[in-house]
Amino acid sequence: MTIPSAEGFLQASSCLPCTATEEREVVDALTKEAEKNVKHGDLRYLVSQSWWMEWQGYVGLVNYGESGTEQFPQATNRPGEIDNSKLVLAERINGSEEPELQRTLREGEHYTLVPQEVWQRLYEWYKGGPEIPRKVIFDNPTDKTYVVDVYPLCLKLIDARDDSEKVFRISRKAKVHELYSMVCSLMSVEQSEIVIWDYYRRTKGKELTNQNDTLEEAQLSMDQEILLEMKLGGGSSGFSARSTNDELALIPLEPSTSSFSIAGGPTFSNGFSSGIGSSFSQDNSFSPLLRDGEDGYNSLSNGTKDDTHGLSGLHNLGNTCFMNSAIQSLVHTPPLVQYFLEDYTCEINKENPLGLQGELAIAFGELLRKLWSSGRTSIAPRAFKSKLSRFAPQFSGYNQHDSQELLAFLLDGLHEDLNRVKEKPYIEAKDADGRPDDEFAEECWNYHKARNDSIIVDKFQGQYKSTLVCPVCNKISVTFDPFMYLSLPLPSTVTRMITVTVFSGTGDVLPMPYTVTVQKNGNCRDLTKALADVCCLKNSETLLLAEVYERRIYRYLTNPIEGLHIIKDEDILVAYRLPVGHEKLLRLEILHSRADRFLVEPQFNINRKLIGCPIVTCIPNDSTAKSDIYAAVSSVLVPFVRAKAHSPDVSAVKLNGNGPSLDGIVLTDNGTTSEEGLSTSRSREDDNAADNELLPFQLSLTDEKGSTRNAIDMDSNRVLGLVIRVLMDWGEKEHGMYNIDHMDVLPEVFKPGFMSKKTRQEAVNLFSCLDAFLKEEPLGPDDMWYCPGCKEHRQASKKLDLWRLPEILVVHLKRFSYSRYMKNKLDTFVNFPIHDLNMSKYVKPTSRGDQHPVYELYAVINHYGGLGGGHYSAYAKLVEEDNWYHFDDSHVSSVNEDEIRRSAAYVLFYRRVGGSSTAANGGPVDIEMVDSLET
């Protein structure tokens, strides 16, 4: 590798052995080598995501995104020192030299992970820090998938001898015997002399005796206490161990996990394992109501209720508020409460390869019974968290996750564990073949029920109709599919505001910017139509869309079905009003150049820079003479003529005898040309006479970048393709005649400002979200549909209709929007009904005699704050008491119903009410939502 000299470019303290390209190649090679030979115990280093993105831009790193390969924009400046300061807390733990990591970080948003060799090379080049190493952990030695323990367990060791405390970190995948070794090293004691107890919340639990258990399997959680006691004559000092022999007798499982996850990031598996062994007692007895001290549950219960039932909180085990909020919402769902408080063991499906052999259902049912037992003592769901982590590695560790994603996993997992269908029959999918929708929908539902039959299907699943239409052959495809929740986009997430500056291609009016609202998944045809409406386009006119970059036409948007995703907010878009059928004419593209110095010969013109915005007009294909081109340019410049330039003396402007001796295009008093539009009927005598006159401006032929300059031929000019480009020089004379301000500074497609903030703060209602969800729209470019008629993948239009609604309607408000390099949360206030949500407008009437689709709210999951640093809580209603409560981890408090509607609402839970509802019979509904119902 050739290493160029960096002398004169960097400080002596900086080491730069490579160019930007070579840096990229070195890092790429080291990364591939590290991933190829990864092993347990390897180190990965955290690097600030902002610095990493800056470095990627500097080296021009190739990114493999959703739409294939994409090159990062090349940055000109070399990044400064690596700055990881925002990833760590200012203080350190008990004087530890290792910095404490912020608890709310997300991979890809706040940091990225690089192999040790890459970190060493980056540090050698850039210095900085602090260093944040983390270990690679293999869940299964026979599998090459691994996780990086970004958040190892932080434990507080209490010494029973003097009540002293010591905080240390250890991997959650470490064995109990490794914990003993670390404690012995910290406390300078022999392992044979000590006993370590689970001391969660300073309550003595079980002794940690199984040396081969991982700390995760031992149910140790983040920031909890452990107790060190010295053995005395074969016993231990202090309190006697509390018996746990009355726990549910289940054989511990050792599931294999094959999911790949880095620091709690995305997983490439659904978290289920088909090879998990489970065992119940032979008589299939079931008594999950016994005491479980590990979960902080302290009293026996037979499932009966008293005045304080259902008001237990859940401890936060370390960024587990996402889990707690979802659990509280489900355990306050009346049908689930009734189901799990009864004996449901006969429905546990231990043979389903898609399920968890009943373990998830048992863990959930156990937790629900504890939460609904008498008393208001909060519970630590450590056993449930431990099993959840083993079955779904994406939720292991102590990173923050999405509550709705966990909810979806729980509902799906509970369904498979409780599926009454032991052997799923093979059913071949059939087409409607012209049958009525009622008949085909019922057949699809029966097929679904033949393979999926559980309490979750009974209560949570509905059915929607999906209609796809091919844009080419108009082939229509109809399917009926089940759903378990509705993910509703907020209107601001399905539409976007686009600003386009519209130019007149015939010189009628000045350019004018217009802002229109279009569907995000729309196409250029939608944008053109919206612009045509706002700018009052004539029937004889059409619009030609183009993107302007660096004062030139970067591309024309002529494909009407091209998606609007290609248009970025920072782009500059223009549209030219041209006559219908302009495609058959020659397109004349006019670029503008500033001349700081003007010399006689064009080839010596120097210091020229493009200014303004290109203007596009059309001329006949056979009219490329110099006079034709000047006439067309003069015509489109008419709106820019300054007031003083309307005097008769304009055409008499001389350039001191310099420049070509050609006739000028004379402007009349009313600002029009002396020629008639784009007329090309000048006689040869007129052209010859032009030799003796001076033009009001100077033009030359150029290329698409405006970098070349050639003289315009008097008779005709050769045209390559359908575009002829000319460059207009702007000097003092031209600026005196024309005002270029109207074309010099053009607005971007979308610039965040007052209007965007105002839009973001405006309230929307649940019905507008439903309208956006059910509105017909084209599929995205990454979600093309294979048309059976065309035998090609097409960007079809898709329309959803609700066909069958479930008893429990879960509504997910899509507040989080994701793009390739950006994530965002919308705090838009969504006005949703608490009582009498009438869905009659949205569900298709059928002959099934369904109940009235009227619902009442009973739970809400809230998300406060932004991405990464947010917090989840839940509102839940005790239906029998008709009272609302706020479940904020272990804290439970009463709340008024009028406080339920908040901009933090993220997931809504509705329960269908009887047909006697006043709303169903045309009576009064939620007053605050009347306007919404009328939309």
Side-chain angles (χ1 to χ4, degrees):
M1 180 181 296
T2 303
I3 302 177
S5 172
E7 183 178 359
F9 292 94
L10 298 171
Q11 298 177 357
S13 60
S14 177
C15 178
L16 179 59
C18 302
T19 64
T21 301
E22 289 170 336
E23 281 189 26
R24 182 185 70 226
E25 294 173 351
V26 168
V27 169
D28 184 59
L30 291 175
T31 300
K32 291 179 179 178
E33 182 68 19
E35 293 300 325
K36 180 180 178 182
N37 302 304
V38 63
K39 59 183 180 298
H40 184 84
D42 283 352
L43 292 180
R44 294 291 183 266
Y45 283 73
L46 276 73
V47 177
S48 166
Q49 185 70 14
S50 58
W51 186 92
W52 179 250
M53 292 292 290
E54 187 179 354
W55 179 82
Q56 286 179 314
Y58 167 64
V59 301
L61 186 66
V62 173
N63 176 58
Y64 298 95
E66 300 171 358
S67 302
T69 304
E70 177 170 330
Q71 190 90 9
F72 280 101
Q74 187 79 25
T76 56
N77 297 326
R78 187 171 185 266
E81 291 186 348
I82 302 171
D83 184 9
N84 287 340
S85 59
K86 293 182 179 180
L87 304 181
V88 299
L89 297 173
E91 66 275 6
R92 298 174 185 264
I93 297 180
N94 286 5
S96 171
E97 294 183 0
E98 185 176 349
E100 172 73 358
L101 204 61
Q102 296 273 6
R103 288 293 179 85
T104 57
L105 303 180
R106 287 175 179 261
E107 186 188 6
E109 181 183 348
H110 301 102
Y111 68 87
T112 192
L113 288 164
V114 299
Q116 182 178 9
E117 297 80 6
V118 172
W119 167 261
Q120 291 171 345
R121 193 58 63 93
L122 291 174
Y123 183 78
E124 177 186 343
W125 293 333
Y126 293 95
K127 306 301 180 187
E131 293 187 353
I132 311 174
R134 290 295 186 265
K135 286 186 178 181
V136 169
I137 302 171
F138 278 89
D139 286 332
N140 189 340
T142 63
D143 201 338
K144 274 295 185 181
T145 57
Y146 66 89
V147 296
V148 177
D149 202 7
V150 173
Y151 286 100
L153 276 177
C154 184
L155 300 176
K156 182 181 292 186
L157 177 64
I158 309 296
D159 192 338
R161 296 172 294 182
D162 57 5
D163 284 335
S164 61
E165 301 179 0
K166 187 178 290 291
V167 177
F168 65 97
R169 281 192 290 264
I170 185 172
S171 171
R172 55 186 158 78
K173 294 294 183 181
K175 305 288 187 180
V176 170
H177 69 81
E178 295 178 71
L179 173 65
Y180 270 88
S181 298
M182 180 173 286
V183 170
C184 290
S185 176
L186 287 172
M187 306 304 293
S188 300
V189 294
E190 295 294 331
Q191 183 168 339
S192 59
E193 301 176 351
I194 65 170
V195 176
I196 300 178
W197 297 86
D198 184 342
Y199 201 46
Y200 183 79
R201 294 213 168 188
R202 295 185 178 268
T203 300
K204 198 170 183 180
K206 63 183 178 182
E207 180 183 345
L208 302 179
T209 56
N210 192 336
Q211 299 290 313
N212 289 322
D213 273 355
T214 66
L215 302 187
E216 191 171 50
E217 291 167 342
Q219 300 177 16
L220 297 185
S221 56
M222 181 70 79
D223 298 324
Q224 80 157 78
E225 300 87 352
I226 58 174
L227 179 65
L228 168 66
E229 288 186 342
M230 304 301 295
K231 291 182 179 178
L232 295 176
S236 61
S237 63
F239 311 105
S240 60
R242 194 174 66 190
S243 172
T244 58
N245 293 330
D246 54 358
E247 294 181 19
L248 176 64
L250 291 177
I251 295 178
L253 303 182
E254 298 293 339
S256 61
T257 55
S258 58
S259 300
F260 169 76
S261 175
I262 295 181
T267 179
F268 301 112
S269 166
N270 60 6
F272 298 134
S273 173
S274 59
I276 303 174
S278 179
S279 175
F280 295 90
S281 56
Q282 295 298 320
D283 61 0
N284 204 27
S285 61
F286 182 75
S287 59
L289 301 174
L290 301 177
R291 183 177 63 187
D292 185 350
E294 284 72 24
D295 277 0
Y297 179 67
N298 298 311
S299 60
L300 290 171
S301 170
N302 60 3
T304 59
K305 312 181 191 66
D306 61 18
D307 292 339
T308 59
H309 69 283
L311 297 181
S312 296
L314 290 168
H315 294 176
N316 192 317
L317 306 179
N319 279 340
T320 57
C321 59
F322 75 96
M323 181 183 74
N324 293 346
S325 59
I327 291 174
Q328 290 288 10
S329 300
L330 287 181
V331 300
H332 286 87
T333 299
L336 287 186
V337 175
Q338 180 180 357
Y339 180 83
F340 281 101
L341 286 183
E342 295 174 353
D343 186 0
Y344 59 91
T345 55
C346 60
E347 294 197 341
I348 291 178
N349 190 334
K350 296 183 289 181
E351 303 171 2
N352 187 357
L354 297 178
L356 310 176
Q357 285 68 53
E359 287 299 310
L360 184 63
I362 291 173
F364 179 80
E366 202 175 321
L367 184 58
L368 181 144
R369 288 170 177 252
K370 293 170 188 175
L371 291 169
W372 275 88
S373 299
S374 60
R376 298 185 62 169
T377 304
S378 59
I379 292 172
R382 296 195 296 163
F384 181 82
K385 173 70 165 62
S386 177
K387 292 179 181 180
L388 179 68
S389 299
R390 285 156 51 194
F391 294 127
Q394 65 266 43
F395 299 118
S396 65
Y398 299 96
N399 285 18
Q400 182 71 280
H401 296 278
D402 191 316
S403 184
Q404 187 271 333
E405 290 180 4
L406 175 70
L407 178 69
F409 169 80
L410 275 178
L411 289 175
D412 191 51
L414 289 174
H415 157 66
E416 297 295 355
D417 269 3
L418 299 170
N419 197 344
R420 304 178 186 112
V421 180
K422 306 303 181 182
E423 294 184 7
K424 295 186 177 183
Y426 171 76
I427 299 176
E428 184 177 357
K430 297 182 180 180
D431 294 329
D433 292 330
R435 287 178 290 169
D437 283 348
D438 276 359
E439 178 184 337
F440 185 47
E442 192 67 22
E443 178 183 281
C444 292
W445 183 252
N446 291 334
Y447 285 167
H448 174 67
K449 288 278 288 184
R451 295 172 55 85
N452 303 277
D453 185 17
S454 69
I455 180 67
I456 303 301
V457 174
D458 295 343
K459 303 300 180 182
F460 286 85
Q461 289 196 359
Q463 187 182 35
Y464 63 79
K465 174 186 176 182
S466 175
T467 305
L468 291 170
V469 181
C470 177
V472 178
C473 70
N474 292 321
K475 167 70 177 177
I476 299 176
S477 173
V478 176
T479 58
F480 289 88
D481 302 300
F483 69 86
M484 195 136 52
Y485 50 87
L486 299 178
S487 286
L488 304 186
L490 274 61
S492 54
T493 65
V494 297
T495 61
R496 62 182 296 196
M497 298 171 66
I498 294 182
T499 299
V500 182
T501 304
V502 179
F503 282 76
S504 171
T506 55
D508 295 333
V509 292
L510 285 169
M512 177 69 67
Y514 294 94
T515 300
V516 294
T517 302
V518 292
Q519 294 289 316
K520 279 188 176 180
N521 288 336
N523 52 36
C524 291
R525 182 191 293 117
D526 301 326
L527 176 59
T528 302
K529 184 178 183 304
L531 283 173
D533 292 338
V534 297
C535 72
C536 301
L537 198 71
K538 300 176 183 177
N539 293 333
S540 59
E541 293 179 317
T542 186
L543 291 175
L544 175 63
L545 284 174
E547 179 185 344
V548 174
Y549 179 69
E550 293 185 346
R551 310 289 183 173
R552 58 186 177 85
I553 300 292
Y554 178 69
R555 59 178 169 177
Y556 288 100
L557 305 177
T558 55
N559 184 0
I561 64 173
E562 189 164 21
L564 296 179
H565 67 280
I566 65 171
I567 301 174
K568 311 302 180 187
D569 285 349
E570 62 272 14
D571 292 345
I572 294 177
L573 285 190
V574 296
Y576 301 101
R577 301 176 69 145
L578 299 175
V580 173
H582 68 87
E583 300 87 355
K584 299 178 182 179
L585 300 174
L586 189 62
R587 189 183 301 161
L588 177 61
E589 190 177 297
I590 307 160
L591 285 75
H592 310 275
S593 174
R594 182 182 67 218
D596 294 333
R597 290 175 53 192
F598 181 79
L599 300 179
V600 176
E601 297 299 332
Q603 60 266 31
F604 296 113
N605 291 350
I606 60 175
N607 294 333
R608 296 184 180 276
K609 181 180 180 182
L610 292 180
I611 59 175
C613 174
I615 302 178
V616 174
T617 186
C618 294
I619 58 177
N621 294 323
D622 57 353
S623 301
T624 60
K626 189 167 191 173
S627 58
D628 301 323
I629 295 174
Y630 270 83
V633 173
S634 179
S635 177
V636 296
L637 289 178
V638 166
F640 303 94
V641 174
R642 295 184 185 274
K644 64 179 182 180
H646 285 277
S647 65
D649 296 333
V650 171
S651 61
V653 176
K654 304 294 182 182
L655 294 179
N656 299 323
N658 296 328
S661 176
L662 299 172
D663 187 21
I665 307 298
V666 180
L667 301 176
T668 62
D669 291 340
N670 62 3
T672 61
T673 63
S674 59
E675 303 298 328
E676 189 66 28
L678 299 180
S679 173
T680 59
S681 59
R682 292 168 177 255
S683 65
R684 173 59 57 186
E685 290 75 17
D686 292 333
D687 290 336
N688 293 334
D691 291 339
N692 301 320
E693 297 293 335
L694 287 175
L695 295 166
F697 45 77
Q698 182 175 344
L699 301 176
S700 55
L701 296 177
T702 188
D703 59 7
E704 60 183 8
K705 294 183 179 180
S707 57
T708 63
R709 161 186 319 270
N710 298 298
I712 299 178
D713 189 82
M714 182 70 67
D715 297 325
S716 64
N717 292 272
R718 182 182 178 187
V719 178
L720 297 178
L722 300 176
V723 180
I724 181 171
R725 296 180 179 88
V726 297
L727 186 67
M728 176 177 173
D729 290 319
W730 286 78
E732 292 183 5
K733 175 176 67 70
E734 288 77 15
H735 282 292
M737 294 177 59
Y738 303 103
N739 186 353
I740 199 174
D741 292 344
H742 297 286
M743 69 170 100
D744 193 36
V745 180
L746 302 185
E748 296 178 356
V749 165
F750 180 78
K751 192 171 185 64
F754 172 76
M755 287 302 295
S756 62
K757 291 180 180 178
K758 180 179 179 182
T759 302
R760 191 181 301 117
Q761 294 170 356
E762 289 178 351
V764 298
N765 59 60
L766 187 63
F767 299 101
S768 61
C769 297
L770 279 163
D771 290 335
F773 175 70
L774 299 174
K775 183 176 182 179
E776 182 177 358
E777 61 182 11
L779 294 175
D782 298 326
D783 191 23
M784 304 284 273
W785 171 61
Y786 183 80
C787 174
C790 300
K791 307 297 183 184
E792 297 283 347
H793 284 89
R794 302 294 188 190
Q795 193 173 358
S797 61
K798 183 177 183 178
K799 176 72 170 68
L800 291 178
D801 293 294
L802 298 180
W803 192 266
R804 181 193 305 262
L805 292 177
E807 178 180 334
I808 302 298
L809 181 63
V810 180
V811 178
H812 165 225
L813 301 176
K814 297 173 69 173
R815 293 193 176 277
F816 300 103
S817 60
Y818 302 90
S819 62
R820 186 165 299 165
Y821 307 115
M822 230 181 125
K823 299 178 182 179
N824 185 38
K825 185 202 171 185
L826 296 173
D827 290 316
T828 307
F829 175 76
V830 177
N831 196 3
F832 51 89
I834 295 177
H835 302 286
D836 298 326
L837 167 63
N838 195 335
M839 296 289 290
S840 300
K841 173 184 174 182
Y842 299 98
V843 67
K844 291 291 183 180
T846 66
S847 58
R848 295 189 310 269
D850 289 343
Q851 295 176 285
H852 293 285
V854 180
Y855 291 83
E856 182 163 331
L857 189 75
Y858 70 88
V860 180
I861 294 178
N862 300 300
H863 181 272
Y864 300 93
L867 286 165
H871 176 68
Y872 290 95
S873 71
Y875 293 126
K877 181 179 182 180
L878 295 186
V879 178
E880 295 179 0
E881 298 180 6
D882 197 27
N883 291 325
W884 283 88
Y885 292 89
H886 185 206
F887 294 85
D888 188 0
D889 289 331
S890 58
H891 181 71
V892 181
S893 59
S894 178
V895 64
N896 294 327
E897 186 177 281
D898 55 7
E899 300 178 47
I900 302 302
R901 290 192 184 100
R902 292 179 179 272
S903 60
Y906 182 45
V907 183
L908 310 174
F909 294 79
Y910 285 94
R911 183 189 184 195
R912 185 165 52 205
V913 297
S916 60
S917 169
T918 55
N921 294 322
V925 298
D926 193 341
I927 296 176
E928 297 186 37
M929 299 300 294
V930 169
D931 293 338
S932 303
L933 284 167
E934 294 175 351
T935 58

